[in-house]
Amino acid sequence: MAREEVKSRRDFLSRAAMVAGGLFISAGSTPFASLLYATERKSKTGPWYGMGIDLDRCIGCGRCADACKTENNVPRDPFFFRTWVEQYTILNDGSIHVESPNGGIDGFTQKFPDTDIFKAFFVPKMCNHCVKSPCTQVCPVGATFESPEGLSLVDPTYCLGCRYCVQACPYGCRYIHPETHVVDKCTMCYHRITKGLLPACVEVCPQEAKIFGDLNDPKSELVKFMKDHSWQVLKPHMNTEPKVYYNQLRAEVR
Amino acid sequence: MPPQIKRLALLFVLLIGLFLTLKYFLTPKSFGEFGHYRGLALEENKVKVPEYSGQKACNECHDDVMALKVANEHATLSCETCHGAGRVHISSVDSVVISPKVPNSREFCGICHAKNFARKAENIKQIDMKAHNAGELCTKCHNPHSPWQEKK
C-alpha cells in the first residue's frame, strides 16, 4: 500500500522537503521553550541569589541544620529538614558510606578506624534553587514558583499538598509539613535576606563555609568565591542549573 | 445546520461562559502579577520575624565579649552559633532579662571538637573525647570566648 502511494522520486523528494521544512519551522518557533525554564533571568540589575559551600572548610557541626529548624519552625523530628549535613566515608576497599544522623544536629561520630579510611568529608545539603527547577514545572496550581530573585518559593495558602514537587526534586529538598499538610522547603531565608540579614545557616556557620551572595553583583562574596575556587554543582546531568556551588565536590557525592 | 448541532453549540457556549465567569471570580487578584503564581505570596514570605538577630545586634550591648572573641580562636563564630537564636533575649525588657542558652556540656563542645577523620586538622583543633580529661567540663579550663586564656 505505502509503496503505491509514493508514485515517483519527485513525489518522495517534495514530501521529504515538506516534512523537513515543517520540522525546521517548529524548531525555530519553540512554543514550549518557556515551559523548560521555570524562570528567566529577567534583568542583570536586580539581585539573583545563590549559595557557595566550601567543603574544604566544613567541619560537620550541623549548626546550620539546627539554626534552620529554629528559624523556620521546621519540626524537630529527624526526617524533616530544609538543610542537613551528610558525612561521606570512603574506605580503602572502595565502598562508600553515607550517613546523616538527625541531619548532623547532634554531631557525627567516626564509625571506621583511621587506617581503613581512604577519604572522609562532610557535605551540607539544601535547596539548590535551580534555574530550571523541576519542582516548579510540575506544580499543577502555581503554588511553587521562582521569585524574581531566582529563589524557589512556596505559597502555602495555595498549595494542595499533592506531593508532585516532592517527587520531582532530584535533591530531596522538599517535605510535607506534618501540621499544615502542605509542602515546605528552604526559602534561602527570604524573610531575612529581604531585611538585610544573612540566611540563618550562613549566620551561624562557625567555619564560614557557607557563602551567600548575589550572582549579579560582581563585588559580592559569592562571585569572589566562584572566581577563586573550582566549584561544581550537584547532579549536573539533570540539567537543572542549580545555584548552590560546592568547592571541592568529589565525584562520589550524590 | 441541523437543530441538534445548534443546541449543542449553545450548550458549549454556556459552559465555556460559566467556566470563564467562575475563573474570573475564583482567581486571586494578584495571580500572574510576576508569573504563574499569586504575587502576594512574595510579600507573605517576607512577613516572618527573624529568630536569629545577627552579629551586629549582639555587638550593640556586648562589645566587650565581642572584642575578646574576635582576638581569639573563636573569631569566626557568631554569638548565636553557640548561644542560639537571640530574638527572645533581645526583645526582653530590662527588668526581666530572658537569658540565651549557655551550653557548657562536653557533648556540645564535642560537636565541633571531637576527633573525626572527616575534619581537617588545619581547620579545627580536635581532641579524643575519651582520653582528654574525661568527665570534666571543658569550661573548667577553657574560656569559650578565649579558649587559651588561663583560668584560675
Side-chain angles (χ1 to χ4, degrees):
Chain A
M1 289 293 283
R3 192 175 283 268
E4 279 174 72
E5 277 170 20
V6 181
K7 291 258 165 37
S8 66
R9 181 177 292 177
R10 178 185 294 262
D11 271 355
F12 171 76
L13 285 175
S14 71
R15 281 181 197 191
M18 271 197 287
V19 171
L23 282 175
F24 183 74
I25 289 164
S26 69
S29 59
T30 53
F32 298 112
S34 63
L35 295 179
L36 286 176
Y37 294 86
T39 186
E40 278 178 56
R41 199 164 169 164
K42 292 211 171 60
S43 71
K44 297 256 189 240
T45 49
W48 188 254
Y49 294 123
M51 182 81 87
I53 299 180
D54 195 342
L55 299 186
D56 243 3
R57 300 185 62 86
C58 180
I59 56 167
C61 63
R63 292 309 87 200
C64 46
D66 186 53
C68 177
K69 287 207 170 192
T70 307
E71 180 68 46
N72 300 298
N73 304 328
V74 179
R76 281 276 155 185
D77 311 68
F79 30 79
F80 300 117
F81 294 99
R82 286 185 178 197
T83 178
W84 67 99
V85 185
E86 291 170 3
Q87 182 178 33
Y88 273 72
T89 311
I90 303 154
L91 299 184
N92 286 326
D93 62 13
S95 61
I96 303 168
H97 302 263
V98 190
E99 54 173 348
S100 183
N102 194 14
I105 289 175
D106 306 327
F108 288 97
T109 46
Q110 188 181 327
K111 294 275 163 61
F112 304 94
D114 285 7
T115 45
D116 286 357
I117 301 176
F118 176 70
K119 176 83 186 169
F121 53 92
F122 299 103
V123 185
K125 296 267 182 87
M126 59 179 283
C127 170
N128 286 266
H129 294 282
C130 310
V131 178
K132 302 182 201 169
S133 50
C135 56
T136 307
Q137 290 167 53
V138 299
C139 182
V141 295
T144 183
F145 56 93
E146 295 267 341
S147 81
E149 299 96 339
L151 300 176
S152 168
L153 300 178
V154 172
D155 179 355
T157 59
Y158 222 61
C159 176
L160 304 166
C162 75
R163 293 160 169 79
Y164 273 149
C165 56
V166 179
Q167 293 210 28
C169 177
Y171 307 100
C173 294
R174 287 169 166 260
Y175 68 93
I176 297 288
H177 198 288
E179 281 155 27
T180 58
H181 303 292
V182 294
V183 78
D184 193 51
K185 69 176 286 297
C186 163
T187 61
M188 203 78 106
C189 281
Y190 196 65
H191 61 292
R192 293 176 62 83
I193 59 175
T194 47
K195 294 180 181 80
L197 293 164
L198 287 168
C201 58
V202 180
E203 174 67 35
V204 300
C205 180
Q207 281 292 101
E208 297 176 332
K210 273 189 164 183
I211 299 103
F212 169 76
D214 177 5
L215 293 162
N216 272 349
D217 176 8
K219 287 186 194 123
S220 73
E221 288 292 316
L222 180 58
V223 173
K224 215 179 289 170
F225 168 82
M226 289 173 75
K227 276 181 191 167
D228 294 345
H229 299 91
S230 53
W231 51 268
Q232 181 57 278
V233 294
L234 288 171
K235 300 187 184 176
H237 57 280
M238 303 296 277
N239 196 29
T240 54
E241 284 189 35
K243 293 203 295 294
V244 173
Y245 309 97
Y246 287 89
N247 177 37
Q248 295 292 326
L249 187 71
R250 290 177 67 97
E252 291 92 347
V253 180
R254 289 284 171 269
Chain B
M1 193 186 285
Q4 59 266 47
I5 296 290
K6 271 185 192 162
R7 285 201 293 272
L8 206 59
L10 189 68
L11 189 67
F12 263 73
V13 169
L14 278 174
L15 285 176
I16 291 167
L18 182 70
F19 170 76
L20 290 175
T21 321
L22 282 175
K23 186 172 178 283
Y24 177 78
F25 285 109
L26 292 178
T27 309
K29 285 286 165 284
S30 65
F31 200 94
E33 197 180 338
F34 305 107
H36 187 69
Y37 60 93
R38 211 165 50 88
L40 274 177
L42 277 177
E43 289 305 315
E44 288 167 17
N45 263 293
K46 288 179 192 169
V47 165
K48 201 184 170 310
V49 179
E51 292 293 323
Y52 285 79
S53 307
Q55 186 63 69
K56 273 185 200 153
C58 305
N59 296 355
E60 278 179 25
C61 299
H62 303 286
D63 48 350
D64 51 334
V65 186
M66 176 66 190
L68 183 66
K69 181 180 72 98
V70 293
N72 289 286
E73 296 266 305
H74 282 163
T76 55
L77 272 71
S78 167
C79 299
E80 290 171 315
T81 305
C82 299
H83 291 293
R87 183 182 67 80
V88 176
H89 170 62
I90 288 169
S91 59
S92 63
V93 286
D94 282 343
S95 51
V96 217
V97 174
I98 302 162
S99 299
K101 63 178 177 185
V102 184
N104 67 343
S105 66
R106 267 182 88 82
E107 290 71 36
F108 187 80
C109 298
I111 282 178
C112 288
H113 291 286
K115 208 166 167 8
N116 191 323
F117 196 88
R119 294 186 177 126
K120 290 196 167 177
E122 66 260 34
N123 276 343
I124 183 151
K125 293 203 165 56
Q126 298 160 55
I127 52 145
D128 186 337
M129 296 295 280
K130 284 184 189 124
H132 185 92
N133 299 322
E136 299 281 5
L137 284 180
C138 306
T139 48
K140 199 180 166 192
C141 300
H142 301 284
N143 176 354
H145 298 131
S146 166
W148 300 113
Q149 192 183 50
E150 256 189 72
K151 271 200 167 184
K152 283 162 193 153

